[in-house]
Every structure is written in structure tokens, then in C-alpha cells.
Amino acid sequence: MSKNIFVTGTGTEIGKTYVAGLLVKKLHEAGEKSAYYKAAMSGNDKDADGNLIPGDAKFVKELAGIDQDLNEMCPYVYERAYSPHLAAQIEGNPVNLDYVVEKLRDLEKKYDYITLEGSGGILCPLRFDDEEIYLEDFVKKAKLSSIIVADAGLGTINNLVLTAFYMKEKGMKVKGIIFNNFIPGDVLQEDNIKMCEHMSGLKVLACVKKGDKDLDIDIDKLKEIYE
């Protein structure tokens, strides 16, 4: 049975997929059977046969150098770059929470570590029709601990602390923060790290600079994050 971690962010386009890819890569290069999973993925292109390509999964697969089948990385793939709930209202095939968890359990039998990624921020709705499903429903049903990815720049204190507060209030376990787009020595960003740790009560696990191909964290400490 694998150990897992759920990667959420303070918003969309914050770098969750990039950081998730670095997590998968670090574990893979340490000799672990490392996999990626995302319940629902929007904004995808089609191949020559008209089949949707799960873009985030493809990016992680190539960055991490893993041979995991794209088809097992994401059970729900949509073309429009909308929240999954809206994409499904237009395209059909709404998220079934039991099915998403079932597919995760199948992966757990095959891999040592699974890095899961959310769609957008933690408040992103996965389904909204005759049934309401939110990312937190998946996190709780799958019994996942989380890390929060945040941009290191201006505005991150408010975004990070609010995300952390919401997750704690909703009973989700948060293991720490990873900052993206970090510039070493930048006075503002160094202060952001200090203030986010103080105000959220969470530890910064790593900082990722633009173009980094390796996550700056000890492999044994990284493994301890996964549960």
C-alpha cells in the first residue's frame, strides 16, 4: 500500500503541477515506485484521433521521467479550461467521487508513493448539478494529508494564511508549505516566508526557483511528509 500526499495551492496557475512533478521526480530518482494522480483535469487538448490528452499528467510524466500510463493518472479529463464542475455541465461525464477514490485505491496497490494534485485551489468544485462535490470531499474521503503550494511573491501572505485556515477549520491535515518562483535574497520574499510560517503555524518544506529540476529537500524528510 502506497503513502500519499495531496498538493493543493493558493489558487490556479500557482505552480502545483510543476511542484507535483518535482515531488514525483525526486522519489523516482531515489528508486521508489512513484506515481501521480489528479481526480479531474480541465483545459486539455485533443490528439489526432480526437481523444483528450491529460496535459498536467503528461507534463509530470515527462518531467519526472516515469513510465506510468497516462490513462491511470486522471479519471476525468475535460477540454474546456473551466472548473471541473462547469466543464462537466457543458461536456458531460461529471465526477463520481466513489469512482475517483476507487481508481486511487487501485494505484495504491502498484506504487510506493503517490503525489496527488487538486484542481485550482482547495475550494474548487468538482461537481455541481444534482450532486455537489468539492475537492475537500475527495481529500477527506481518501483520507489524505496535504501540502500547500504558494507563490513566493507579493500577496502570498493573505492567500496562504486564508487557505491554511480554511483547511484546518474543515478538518484537513496540512503538513507544510512549498513556495514557488522563489528568488533567494529577495527581501520581500524572505519576509513572506517568515510571516507565512508565523501566521499559519506551518513549516516551509522547500522553496522552488524558476527552472529548478530538483526539489531542495532531503529525500528522507520528503518521505516523512507522505502518509
Side-chain angles (χ1 to χ4, degrees), residues 25 45 163 165:
K25 181 175 185 283
D45 297 325
T163 298
F165 178 80

Side-chain angles (χ1 to χ4, degrees), residues 1-7 23-24 27-28 32-37 68 104-117 142-146 175 219-227:
M1 187 65 70
S2 70
K3 293 185 176 181
N4 308 329
I5 198 71
F6 180 80
V7 179
L23 289 165
V24 175
L27 290 162
H28 172 66
E32 304 292 348
K33 290 190 289 185
S34 179
Y36 170 86
Y37 188 74
Q68 184 184 2
L104 171 60
R105 298 303 178 224
D106 289 342
L107 282 186
E108 289 177 335
K109 300 170 186 175
K110 300 171 57 177
Y111 296 94
D112 299 320
Y113 294 89
I114 300 176
T115 304
L116 300 97
E117 182 190 351
K143 299 179 180 179
L144 301 170
S145 294
S146 304
K175 303 295 290 289
I219 186 62
D220 291 328
K221 290 184 179 179
L222 175 59
K223 290 178 179 179
E224 291 175 1
I225 298 168
Y226 286 70
E227 295 184 344

Side-chain angles (χ1 to χ4, degrees), residues 15-30 34-36 54-68 70 73 115 117 180 208-215:
K16 297 188 308 300
T17 305
Y18 179 45
V19 170
L22 292 179
L23 289 165
V24 175
K25 181 175 185 283
K26 186 92 175 183
L27 290 162
H28 172 66
E29 291 180 345
S34 179
Y36 170 86
D56 290 348
K58 185 173 183 290
F59 174 84
V60 170
K61 179 181 172 76
E62 293 174 352
L63 175 64
I66 56 174
D67 59 5
Q68 184 184 2
L70 284 177
M73 289 178 155
T115 304
E117 182 190 351
N180 192 29
V208 177
K209 304 183 296 297
K210 288 185 178 179
D212 274 355
K213 299 301 181 184
D214 181 58
L215 195 65

Side-chain angles (χ1 to χ4, degrees), residues 44-111:
N44 298 286
D45 297 325
K46 292 182 177 180
D47 62 20
D49 296 322
N51 300 310
L52 285 168
I53 305 167
D56 290 348
K58 185 173 183 290
F59 174 84
V60 170
K61 179 181 172 76
E62 293 174 352
L63 175 64
I66 56 174
D67 59 5
Q68 184 184 2
D69 192 325
L70 284 177
N71 292 323
E72 68 178 20
M73 289 178 155
C74 183
Y76 291 94
V77 183
Y78 304 104
E79 182 177 6
R80 290 167 177 80
Y82 303 156
S83 173
H85 82 284
L86 179 57
Q89 288 175 13
I90 297 169
E91 300 174 28
N93 194 29
V95 170
N96 179 295
L97 187 56
D98 288 335
Y99 182 73
V100 167
V101 174
E102 176 188 330
K103 290 301 172 184
L104 171 60
R105 298 303 178 224
D106 289 342
L107 282 186
E108 289 177 335
K109 300 170 186 175
K110 300 171 57 177
Y111 296 94

